[in-house]
Amino acid sequence: MTKKAPKGRPKPKTTFKRYFDSAKPENNDLEAVKPLKRKSQQNFVGDFIKMQNKIKKEKPRKASIKPKPKGKLKEETEEEAQAKRNPIPQELLDKYSRGEKVEAKGVKTRHFKEQQTRREKYLEYAVEQAARTELLLHETAGQLEADEGEVTAEYRQGQIADNVDLQSAAKHFSLNMEFGPYHMRYTKNGRHLLLGGRRGHIAAFDWVTKKLHCEFNAMESIEDVQWLHVNTMFAVAQKSWVYFYDNKGTELHCVKRLARVNRLDFLPYHFLLAAGNTAGYASWLDVSIGELVGNFQTNLGDIRIMRHNPSNGVLCIGGGKGVVSMWSPKVREPLAKLLCHSTAMSALAVDPRGQHLVTAGLDRAVKVWDVRNLVQDKPLAHFQLRLPANELDVSQRGMLALSQGTYLETYADMLSGGGTGNYEKLPYLRQRCDAFVHGLRFCPYEDVLGVSTAKGFQSLLVPGSGEPNFDAMEANPYETSKQRREHEVHALLEKIPPELITLNPHEITGVDAPTLQEKIDAKRKLFHLKPPKINMKSRHKMKGKGGSANAARNKQIVKDLKRKEFIAEVREAKKSVIKEHTAKEDGAVAKTKKPKPSVLDRFKPKPPKKQKT
Amino acid sequence: MKVKMISRNPDNYVRETKLEHHKMARNYDPALHPLEGPREYVRALNATKLDRVFAKPFVCNLSGHRDGVSCFGKHPKQLSQLATGAYDGEVRIWDLANRTSSRHFVAHDGFVRGVAYAPDGKLIYTVGDDKTIKVWKADAPDVGEEEEPVNTILSRYGLHGISHNRKGNSFATCGEVCAVWDEKHNDPIKTLKWGVDTLHTISYNPVETDILACCASDRSIILYDQREAQPLRKIVLTMKSNKLSWNPMEAFNFTVANEDCNLYTFDTRKLQTPLKVHFDHVSAVTDVDYSPTGKEFVSASYDKTVRIYNAHHSHSRDIYHTKRMQHVVCVAWSLDNRYVFSGSDEMNVRMWKANASEKLGVIRPRERVNFNYQEALKQKYAAHPQIKRIARHRQVPRHVMNAQRKMRLVKDKEQVKEANVRKHSKKGKVPYVSEKKKHVIKEEV
């Protein structure tokens, strides 16, 4: 009697509740689920509010069956009303969303379908909560508005400094130094500044309080400088080798494996110091273990233009032929190449969000590219300057700064709006420096643009360039030494292995599905398969049960049999592949073969009539 | 001109005195947190590694018995109390908080076969090889008083197990027959019998409290209803089942520990095929007990190991073993879902953590949040090969390793043989039988 199973699942007349959605108590005397978590539940990671929302919708129907006390109903309607009063704007949700929802439609079993829908609810809730935190942010971004009849480009630095508060005005300063052309870097939190003059001058200081950490002369030519993961260590590319110093100016290491380096860059999450040298070698040094994780010839000649993409850690190297190539330490070929200019390149910059690549060439053009979509053949924006731009940088809020010799311009809305080029032709601010500009960096989390020239350093005020609200877990301008040490330990524990540097940083979270190319290759392989070698050991026989001749014969028989089997299998597989394709083609042919009836059809020979049997 | 620049007041970002926490401004904008995926992956990897580093499941050893431990009785209300019976007839009550034996008495001549607490926790029922059921007070007698049973019931049949109804005041014993008793009477209310063989385990269903399940030595599992005169159903497996445990949350499911190294989870509504076959033991499984959440169960085996299974997975989640632990006879999961007890032949009761890497003691809220985060990460990246490998790896004793290898060899050979037979016989004559269906021989109603 139990053998007979009903076909298909009978639909229950009443909707059965599962244990996970029965948070609502059945009895009236039981307390309702409280909107706020109790103290003991505070560590519960699930979505309380979401689940309640779901139940709330069922409430009226249940209420008709079983009357509830009025107080509770009222409380819930209040809650609903509150949610209506404070809706989250869609653009805010989009900002925090991590991509589109996964539909549970294709999921086969009911269990996994429900699991998927529940997971989506968690994610949706997480996005909502993250969007709501926007309310808690302290600061607002800076801005500069011109009066009527004026444009912002007219304003000089002195005027801006006069009109802002004292604290901000102090951020405008200039240093005249004589060990000329200077290179400069800000730390990740934007608090400290490192200057390196070509003629050996190195200075590290807290530029906000103007407190000097160290200043000395390396007595050797200096090509580039770079902070490491903390503000107590920095690397300097000197004449022949790269040296590490601490913030007292003590030499910590001399890295002889990085020789004749031109450009330095640091990947903070990978702890990799990237270096490009005069011979065209790109090298990545893991500063936590002191080993080179990648070191190879790029065949690009002298590497002078090099920046890393902060969103995925890929190193972008601009070549003499107008090509930007992107490199990962574990892959010896470039991950991607992008022909940007028909002439040699003069500068490149990647915006901190990792969305845009800005390039400048000797053809006096500046182009904005979408780094996430490299198959495009046209830049997002393209504009001509009078002189080639020799330095570029993009700020956290998408402001672009470029220098042409001693002249310097910033554009406010070049990259906003997707960088489509719908920008005003007039620059946001402009400035003429007293000497040739050699370095240009926006200070993170400040409205400041640092400019290093042949004669020193200038700190310019660019209102609205920096991100006003920092995340203290990522970069904290106000961190104490203890916090810094704590952060260093955590960062080291979370060091990303260099193998994970890929063009798409989310690759690790994706599903490893075979691509179309791989599928095609697998099918193609089927036609060139060789029968496997069979290594058979014949079973040990007792004496007198057959000699070696017998054994060899048996072996041959088995081998032949296996081969035959294999061939038959492969033939079957091939057949199925061929059938699949021919069927498709036939279908396609059948579709295309039926032409439209035309007037000339009547001259065609008529098909023979089928005889009825 | 109108101009505004970022100008932060340090008071909002720096703590005033050293007594305060540091002020940590947060901004959850995804643009400020690059490389989210790889960083999470590395965190998940670290969490998985730490999990293995801190996996120290052994809590303590409760020694005091003078012979092998045969059975456990869990106190229904007190977490710190556990009763154990031994082969020499001694029953010990353990104070788990202090890890000492608080009380002991010789209850029976010969083995103690079963210990059960009454649902209110005031009485202890024991059965032994001397064909008696003895009832003891759960509280220790006063100083100077003798340990004496409250009641002694002489049974006509041999007794092999006891189980107390979770709600009513009836209890059931098994032996040659299944007998249902009332607490007030010295004669069974009902005796139920199916076949001639001995029943060696009995267990009340915790939710449908009238349903009983027994394992018999003729390889069968029998379901009874104490309201009816006749047994309900019977299934016969290929080998004997040693113990049976009901799932406390999904009480229509139960799991049996079988002599053929496997455990079988059955749905009472569909007994022809088990829901799941749980592999991994390399010798007869002697005992099984569910966690109070019903999501996991623990099993003890003659191969000197204790394994923990997810109720819906066919392979074990964890294996516990020590050098000195001999054949494990009985096992229990504590009612707070945190500990597992195992009693073995070499007279020791061992206490293990149910979750090997769990931190004992007080956990501060921030710590708890961190643990939860790590758990979520581990789940999210569980399918990645490196993480999977680390999470799955367990060191097992050499004899288990060898036995596993041998079993795999046997299984492979059987498969080859079956394939050969299939190849040389008529099509469809040697059908493919799933692993689940191989073990149930028949069902009788």
Side-chain angles (χ1 to χ4, degrees):
Chain A
M1 107 205 172
T2 43
K3 289 259 167 165
K4 220 174 78 182
K7 289 203 173 170
R9 189 184 293 275
K11 287 246 169 166
K13 274 168 194 165
T14 51
T15 49
F16 290 114
K17 268 184 297 172
R18 314 267 313 183
Y19 59 90
F20 54 78
D21 56 28
S22 62
K24 185 171 65 80
E26 287 294 296
N27 293 338
N28 290 345
D29 49 8
L30 274 176
E31 250 185 85
V33 180
K34 281 180 184 159
L36 275 176
K37 290 177 185 179
R38 287 202 306 273
K39 207 167 192 185
S40 59
Q41 292 171 335
Q42 268 170 4
N43 301 324
F44 173 65
V45 284
D47 50 348
F48 247 70
I49 298 172
K50 202 64 209 166
M51 289 302 189
Q52 279 181 338
N53 280 348
K54 196 184 156 198
I55 293 153
K56 254 184 275 159
K57 280 176 192 164
E58 293 174 1
K59 271 278 153 70
R61 187 167 54 84
K62 293 275 168 187
S64 62
I65 302 163
K66 206 188 265 180
K68 301 262 165 187
K70 275 186 179 174
K72 203 166 60 180
L73 266 178
K74 198 177 171 190
E75 182 190 319
E76 278 150 10
T77 49
E78 259 173 29
E79 217 175 86
E80 259 181 4
Q82 201 179 2
K84 270 180 197 167
R85 244 179 283 142
N86 304 323
I88 311 167
Q90 188 57 41
E91 62 265 26
L92 213 56
L93 288 176
D94 289 344
K95 180 181 168 189
Y96 287 94
S97 127
R98 301 301 202 276
E100 277 186 9
K101 212 171 159 180
V102 175
E103 289 298 330
K105 209 177 167 189
V107 182
K108 272 181 186 156
T109 60
R110 204 170 61 144
H111 172 77
F112 287 108
K113 199 175 259 184
E114 263 166 33
Q115 199 178 27
Q116 185 57 40
T117 45
R118 221 175 314 150
R119 193 175 295 154
E120 282 306 327
K121 252 177 226 164
Y122 280 122
L123 293 177
E124 202 183 318
Y125 176 67
V127 169
E128 268 176 33
Q129 291 302 302
R132 283 198 193 281
T133 58
E134 192 97 329
L135 203 69
L136 304 173
L137 299 179
H138 276 296
E139 310 284 339
T140 51
Q143 57 179 10
L144 175 63
E145 271 179 36
D147 293 335
E148 235 174 271
E150 291 176 342
V151 284
T152 52
E154 298 176 0
Y155 298 134
R156 299 278 84 86
Q157 284 294 313
Q159 277 174 288
I160 296 174
D162 289 341
N163 281 296
V164 293
D165 54 325
L166 274 179
Q167 198 191 5
S168 302
K171 287 173 188 164
H172 171 60
F173 62 94
S174 62
L175 304 170
N176 291 324
M177 293 172 289
E178 58 203 16
F179 292 95
Y182 277 88
H183 295 279
M184 49 97 44
R185 289 287 192 285
Y186 286 108
T187 49
K188 199 180 146 204
N189 59 14
R191 186 67 190 246
H192 303 272
L193 180 64
L194 179 64
L195 293 173
R198 169 60 66 83
R199 279 174 276 173
H201 179 207
I202 297 166
F205 58 102
D206 180 341
W207 70 271
V208 180
T209 58
K210 315 284 192 301
K211 193 184 141 229
L212 190 69
H213 295 318
C214 70
E215 186 176 23
F216 60 97
N217 198 312
M219 306 304 284
E220 219 176 17
S221 71
I222 285 174
E223 303 295 331
D224 204 359
V225 289
Q226 176 65 53
W227 286 107
L228 298 187
H229 55 284
V230 283
N231 58 29
T232 52
M233 276 191 277
F234 55 86
V236 179
Q238 297 185 8
K239 188 184 163 199
S240 40
W241 299 306
V242 172
Y243 288 79
F244 286 4
Y245 297 96
D246 74 353
N247 66 346
K248 297 277 184 298
T250 321
E251 181 186 320
L252 299 175
H253 297 288
C254 166
V255 187
K256 293 199 175 170
R257 298 201 61 189
L258 300 177
R260 304 189 63 76
V261 168
N262 270 335
R263 282 286 171 274
L264 287 174
D265 208 340
F266 188 73
L267 315 181
Y269 297 105
H270 304 82
F271 282 80
L272 292 180
L273 180 73
N277 83 358
T278 42
Y281 272 88
S283 323
W284 285 263
L285 180 82
D286 190 327
V287 296
S288 62
I289 53 174
E291 269 178 29
L292 280 180
V293 296
N295 183 29
F296 46 81
Q297 175 64 267
T298 58
N299 291 323
L300 291 170
D302 194 356
I303 297 173
R304 293 264 166 202
I305 305 161
M306 189 179 91
R307 283 286 186 96
H308 83 273
N309 182 341
S311 72
N312 57 13
V314 169
L315 206 62
C316 303
I317 300 177
K321 290 175 180 161
V323 175
V324 174
S325 47
M326 303 187 179
W327 300 83
S328 161
K330 289 293 179 190
V331 187
R332 283 176 164 264
E333 274 86 50
L335 301 175
K337 278 181 175 180
L338 193 63
L339 177 64
C340 300
H341 296 273
S342 51
T343 59
M345 285 184 59
S346 55
L348 75 85
V350 187
D351 96 284
R353 285 163 194 264
Q355 292 175 2
H356 302 109
L357 171 74
V358 187
T359 60
L362 291 180
D363 55 355
R364 293 173 293 165
V366 173
K367 295 181 185 177
V368 180
W369 305 84
D370 187 350
V371 200
R372 295 175 300 175
N373 180 21
L374 290 170
V375 289
Q376 75 219 333
D377 50 352
K378 253 173 47 181
L380 294 174
H382 173 197
F383 61 100
Q384 261 344 97
L385 303 170
R386 280 195 211 142
L387 285 170
N390 65 327
E391 284 296 332
L392 284 175
D393 198 32
V394 182
S395 85
Q396 283 175 321
R397 296 189 69 227
M399 217 173 258
L400 176 72
L402 54 89
S403 71
Q404 302 155 281
T406 59
Y407 179 63
L408 192 134
E409 281 178 343
T410 56
Y411 291 89
D413 44 5
M414 185 83 70
L415 303 180
S416 59
T420 44
N422 299 327
Y423 56 91
E424 283 178 41
K425 294 289 178 203
L426 214 60
Y428 178 62
L429 284 177
R430 52 185 160 204
Q431 170 82 11
R432 184 168 293 280
C433 304
D434 51 350
F436 197 87
V437 174
H438 279 270
L440 198 63
R441 296 280 167 143
F442 279 105
C443 179
Y445 308 108
E446 291 287 354
D447 284 339
V448 165
L449 172 66
V451 181
S452 64
T453 62
K455 284 187 182 169
F457 174 80
Q458 279 189 329
S459 176
L460 306 180
L461 304 182
V462 185
S465 66
E467 170 66 43
N469 295 294
F470 59 86
D471 190 310
M473 297 296 220
E474 291 280 353
N476 187 0
Y478 296 97
E479 76 186 349
T480 59
S481 59
K482 252 190 188 168
Q483 275 179 307
R484 189 194 63 226
R485 273 180 233 143
E486 179 82 18
H487 186 257
E488 187 180 5
V489 170
H490 279 279
L492 274 168
L493 282 174
E494 284 166 20
K495 186 179 80 173
I496 305 170
E499 291 82 8
L500 296 184
I501 298 181
T502 49
L503 276 181
N504 179 10
H506 302 295
E507 205 163 283
I508 190 96
T509 55
V511 179
D512 189 16
T515 59
L516 181 65
Q517 188 59 47
E518 278 165 352
K519 279 184 200 163
I520 291 170
D521 285 347
K523 269 184 194 169
R524 202 169 273 165
K525 231 182 178 180
L526 207 61
F527 290 89
H528 305 288
L529 270 186
K530 276 181 190 165
K533 276 184 187 167
I534 294 140
N535 206 1
M536 196 190 83
K537 223 163 125 188
S538 54
R539 206 181 296 162
H540 177 67
K541 287 270 171 89
M542 287 309 180
K543 239 183 193 174
K545 294 266 180 170
S548 58
N550 258 353
R553 206 189 61 205
N554 284 342
K555 204 169 172 179
Q556 194 54 44
I557 291 170
V558 171
K559 273 187 175 179
D560 288 347
L561 211 69
K562 287 262 163 98
R563 235 183 80 217
K564 257 188 191 170
E565 261 175 33
F566 176 78
I567 291 169
E569 262 174 39
V570 170
R571 194 188 294 143
E572 280 301 305
K574 277 181 193 172
K575 254 187 200 168
S576 66
V577 169
I578 291 167
K579 202 177 165 189
E580 199 179 294
H581 281 264
T582 47
K584 262 184 204 167
E585 274 164 23
D586 282 352
V589 165
K591 266 182 195 168
T592 52
K593 272 219 167 163
K594 205 154 198 185
K596 277 181 186 172
S598 83
V599 276
L600 300 174
D601 277 353
R602 56 189 147 149
F603 300 114
K604 277 183 184 170
K606 275 169 194 165
K609 275 179 187 169
K610 273 180 194 170
Q611 285 183 344
K612 279 178 187 171
T613 50
Chain B
M1 86 170 118
K2 280 183 211 155
V3 61
K4 186 205 166 280
M5 283 189 40
I6 299 171
S7 159
R8 300 190 186 92
N9 184 359
D11 292 350
N12 293 337
Y13 300 97
V14 181
R15 61 177 178 179
E16 280 170 29
T17 63
K18 284 196 171 174
L19 302 174
E20 289 174 36
H21 279 299
H22 284 290
K23 286 178 180 167
M24 298 295 273
R26 298 304 311 267
N27 184 356
Y28 295 95
D29 185 356
L32 295 186
H33 303 269
L35 298 161
E36 205 173 37
R39 284 166 80 190
E40 265 189 353
Y41 170 75
V42 173
R43 275 181 207 158
L45 190 63
N46 287 343
T48 318
K49 284 177 185 169
L50 285 181
D51 200 46
R52 294 321 303 152
V53 168
F54 291 121
K56 303 258 186 289
F58 184 67
V59 179
C60 71
N61 184 21
L62 306 172
S63 58
H65 273 302
R66 271 158 290 191
D67 208 339
V69 184
S70 63
C71 52
F72 280 137
K74 287 189 275 188
H75 195 287
K77 302 224 162 131
Q78 273 180 9
L79 289 173
S80 63
Q81 218 182 88
L82 182 76
T84 57
Y87 291 158
D88 59 355
E90 190 187 43
V91 170
R92 265 180 193 269
I93 314 290
W94 300 92
D95 180 1
L96 296 171
N98 297 324
R99 300 176 186 181
T100 52
S101 159
S102 60
R103 186 183 161 200
H104 61 98
F105 47 88
V106 177
H108 296 278
D109 291 339
F111 284 24
V112 180
R113 289 293 184 177
V115 180
Y117 273 94
D120 57 0
K122 284 179 183 157
L123 293 173
I124 306 173
Y125 295 79
T126 60
V127 292
D129 269 356
D130 55 358
K131 289 188 179 179
T132 54
I133 306 167
K134 288 187 179 171
V135 188
W136 309 79
K137 270 191 182 160
D139 302 326
D142 293 335
V143 184
E145 273 183 45
E146 290 264 313
E147 287 278 8
E148 270 191 3
V150 183
N151 189 10
T152 305
I153 304 164
L154 290 173
S155 162
R156 263 185 287 164
Y157 308 104
L159 297 168
H160 278 120
I162 186 168
S163 172
H164 202 288
N165 195 327
R166 200 173 142 195
K167 282 175 187 157
N169 52 5
S170 63
F171 63 92
T173 59
C174 64
E176 282 152 52
V177 292
C178 168
V180 182
W181 307 73
D182 191 274
E183 279 178 2
K184 304 276 163 35
H185 299 91
N186 282 349
D187 289 314
I189 314 168
K190 193 170 278 180
T191 55
L192 298 152
K193 198 164 164 61
W194 190 344
V196 285
D197 286 285
T198 1
L199 308 167
H200 49 259
T201 316
I202 190 159
S203 177
Y204 262 107
N205 189 318
V207 175
E208 284 297 329
T209 46
D210 291 323
I211 307 289
L212 282 159
C214 281
C215 296
S217 48
D218 63 345
R219 303 171 294 159
S220 64
I221 302 163
I222 308 171
L223 293 182
Y224 298 101
D225 189 331
Q226 70 172 11
R227 295 164 296 192
E228 302 210 4
Q230 293 299 319
L232 292 173
R233 273 180 201 191
K234 177 176 183 176
I235 39 168
V236 183
L237 306 184
T238 48
M239 285 181 93
K240 195 182 99 175
S241 303
N242 284 327
K243 265 290 169 24
L244 182 144
S245 176
W246 290 95
N247 187 331
M249 296 308 284
E250 293 163 359
F252 39 87
N253 292 346
F254 63 88
T255 301
V256 291
N258 202 286
E259 198 79 353
D260 64 355
C261 316
N262 297 337
L263 293 117
Y264 302 97
T265 301
F266 284 97
D267 189 335
T268 35
R269 298 164 297 186
K270 193 168 179 287
L271 288 167
Q272 300 101 329
T273 48
L275 282 179
K276 210 77 193 175
V277 184
H278 308 275
F279 302 100
D280 279 359
H281 274 300
V282 291
S283 188
V285 190
T286 49
D287 199 359
V288 57
D289 192 26
Y290 262 96
S291 77
T293 60
K295 290 195 169 172
E296 288 173 323
F297 60 80
V298 59
S299 68
S301 167
Y302 207 66
D303 63 11
K304 306 177 186 174
T305 61
V306 172
R307 280 185 187 266
I308 296 178
Y309 291 83
N310 186 318
H312 299 295
H313 293 179
S314 46
H315 288 277
S316 63
R317 159 173 86 77
D318 215 337
I319 175 172
Y320 294 163
H321 55 88
T322 65
K323 235 177 200 172
R324 296 184 185 182
M325 187 160 74
Q326 296 302 312
H327 311 306
V328 192
V329 179
C330 49
V331 81
W333 199 306
S334 79
L335 288 176
D336 60 347
N337 197 24
R338 295 185 72 190
Y339 301 101
V340 162
F341 306 102
S342 70
S344 44
D345 264 357
E346 86 308 334
M347 308 184 277
N348 283 319
V349 176
R350 288 192 171 77
M351 189 169 165
W352 310 82
K353 285 187 259 179
N355 186 4
S357 58
E358 192 191 13
K359 190 187 166 192
L360 295 183
V362 181
I363 296 176
R364 296 203 198 102
R366 284 171 74 183
E367 225 172 348
R368 166 62 58 204
V369 166
N370 192 30
F371 285 147
N372 288 343
Y373 179 56
Q374 288 190 343
E375 201 54 44
L377 281 179
K378 270 187 280 176
Q379 252 175 33
K380 185 173 174 186
Y381 289 90
H384 282 259
Q386 207 182 357
I387 290 176
K388 202 200 253 171
R389 184 180 61 81
I390 294 169
R392 271 185 56 202
H393 178 76
R394 295 288 182 282
Q395 205 77 37
V396 294
R398 181 164 296 247
H399 70 274
V400 173
M401 190 82 152
N402 290 339
Q404 274 173 340
R405 200 175 297 144
K406 209 180 271 174
M407 280 171 78
R408 201 172 303 135
L409 211 70
V410 170
K411 208 168 188 183
D412 287 349
K413 277 196 171 164
E414 272 170 5
Q415 266 180 352
V416 169
K417 189 168 183 182
E418 200 190 316
N420 284 341
V421 169
R422 185 171 291 131
K423 199 160 70 183
H424 295 290
S425 46
K426 234 183 195 175
K427 214 172 185 182
K429 204 169 183 196
V430 185
Y432 292 93
V433 182
S434 75
E435 185 67 36
K436 275 183 189 173
K437 291 197 174 154
K438 274 181 195 166
H439 303 284
V440 181
I441 294 176
K442 60 180 173 181
E443 187 195 1
E444 290 170 28
V445 180

